[in-house]
Amino acid sequence: MRRDTFLKSLAALAAAGALPLSARAAANVKMMIPANPGGGWDTTGRALGKALSEAKLADTVTYDNKGGAAGALGLAQFVNGSKADPNALMVMGSVMLGGIITGKPPVNLSQATPIARMTTEYNVFVLPANSPFKTMKDVVDQLKKDPGSVKWGGGSRGSTEHIAAAMIAQKVGADPSKINYVAFRGGGEATAAILGGNVTVGGSGYSEFAEYIAAGKMKAIAVTSAQRLPGINVPTLKEQGIDVEIGNWRGVYGAPGITADQRKALTDMVLAALKSPSWAESLKKNDWTPAVLSGDAFAKFVDDDFASLRAIMVKSGMV
């Protein structure tokens, strides 16, 4: 076979996804982060991009932050602007499902292509350093007296910390439909509000507040995991007699309209990145729990979680 013919054949096979990942040219990945800088999705997307680059699975990774509406604005941009793009990825997770349930955006997650779940992270609830409250019991006592007087601050409406706040109210006998929840467009805004004492209680993934907790600028009063998080001396809600457990998982989707071979290539690329030293370092640094799931199993998980979240939110008066 002539050399030019061979190279053309090789290129055609690579484009069709018929070659193993290692034989293909590395991609120029476009990463949609449907949140403002500074939050969990932003950290996750950039950690994945770093892993893709350092493992030489991607030649370049570019990032596009589009915050608002629990990720729905970024989802709309991704669905409408990335059709059939085999190198496009979007960070998403349980927060986006909650936002879709409450916001009913014009685009649907089912229009994009499920790739993989990557991590789960449990929320921590914190008090501002100057708060008159000291414990979750103090917060609950006030919640029972006057639900609206406790101002909860966290991610977008429908986020795991929003759902957790409603679940806490329900479990302690307060009216969950009367909770005073202030939604922020990104982790940076929520952090500023807590540090400024503009909310009663703040909620987010532990990694987002860790440095402020360590510095004494926030007081951690509860985590939403079943058991205490390794190396973190903060009691669970269950330990404190509140039967609430909820995790904030994160994953990635591909663009609408990609082929089965392109989906497999993208999935293989992401899964390879999740086995890299760079990703292992990010897991440790951010206190993320690995929760890898891909393919049809991931798609089914998303459908099941959507139904479960919707049931909780309806019961709590959020929908």
Side-chain angles (χ1 to χ4, degrees):
M1 184 185 289
R2 287 176 50 190
R3 185 173 182 276
D4 60 343
T5 305
F6 170 75
L7 290 174
K8 286 178 182 177
S9 300
L10 188 68
L13 285 167
L19 288 174
L21 189 63
S22 59
R24 288 179 221 145
N28 297 308
V29 173
K30 295 179 279 290
M31 186 87 67
M32 163 57 70
I33 300 174
N36 291 343
W41 281 349
D42 187 58
T43 306
T44 301
R46 290 175 192 276
L48 177 60
K50 183 172 180 249
L52 289 167
S53 296
E54 292 189 2
K56 303 196 184 313
L57 295 161
D59 283 334
T60 62
V61 182
T62 55
Y63 305 94
D64 187 5
N65 285 84
K66 181 71 174 179
L73 298 184
L75 172 63
Q77 184 173 309
F78 184 75
V79 165
N80 294 323
S82 301
K83 291 175 182 173
D85 185 341
N87 295 327
L89 283 171
M90 177 187 69
V91 182
M92 51 74 68
S94 54
V95 172
M96 182 174 281
L97 303 191
I100 290 170
I101 292 165
T102 58
K104 301 178 179 65
V107 293
N108 198 299
L109 188 58
S110 64
Q111 293 171 258
T113 306
I115 299 297
R117 185 182 69 188
M118 303 185 294
T119 63
T120 191
E121 184 179 22
Y122 294 100
N123 290 117
V124 61
F125 283 109
V126 299
L127 300 171
N130 62 353
S131 173
F133 300 136
K134 303 300 177 191
T135 65
M136 180 56 79
K137 182 180 183 303
D138 294 340
V139 173
V140 166
D141 288 345
Q142 183 61 33
L143 190 67
K144 288 177 179 177
K145 289 178 191 173
D146 181 5
S149 68
V150 177
K151 188 183 290 186
W152 303 80
S156 300
R157 180 173 168 79
S159 64
T160 50
E161 52 267 34
H162 187 186
I163 294 167
M167 291 170 74
I168 290 168
Q170 187 179 15
K171 291 293 183 181
V172 303
D175 186 347
S177 68
K178 291 183 178 176
I179 65 167
N180 182 2
Y181 185 83
V182 182
F184 294 98
R185 286 165 63 93
E189 289 181 14
T191 297
I194 297 159
L195 293 174
N198 298 319
V199 295
T200 312
V201 189
S204 190
Y206 191 90
S207 62
E208 291 184 41
F209 293 160
E211 65 178 289
Y212 304 103
I213 294 168
K217 295 179 179 179
M218 296 179 183
K219 179 176 174 55
I221 55 172
V223 290
T224 63
S225 50
Q227 292 87 33
R228 290 197 183 201
L229 299 175
I232 296 171
N233 188 28
V234 180
T236 66
L237 287 165
K238 288 190 170 186
E239 274 182 70
Q240 301 177 73
I242 304 167
D243 188 19
V244 170
E245 176 190 344
I246 185 169
N248 181 14
W249 60 267
R250 298 186 181 113
V252 284
Y253 264 54
I258 59 174
T259 67
D261 285 340
Q262 288 169 336
R263 179 187 180 188
K264 183 179 185 307
L266 203 52
T267 304
D268 288 347
M269 182 180 72
V270 169
L271 294 179
L274 300 186
K275 294 175 183 174
S276 69
S278 175
W279 184 253
E281 184 182 324
S282 292
L283 290 175
K284 185 176 179 181
K285 177 183 175 183
N286 296 293
D287 293 311
W288 293 335
T289 302
V292 180
L293 191 66
S294 62
D296 292 340
F298 175 51
K300 183 181 185 304
F301 166 80
V302 172
D303 289 343
D304 291 346
D305 198 48
F306 186 90
S308 175
L309 283 174
R310 192 178 191 287
I312 292 168
M313 293 166 81
V314 167
K315 194 172 182 181
S316 298
M318 293 168 61
V319 179

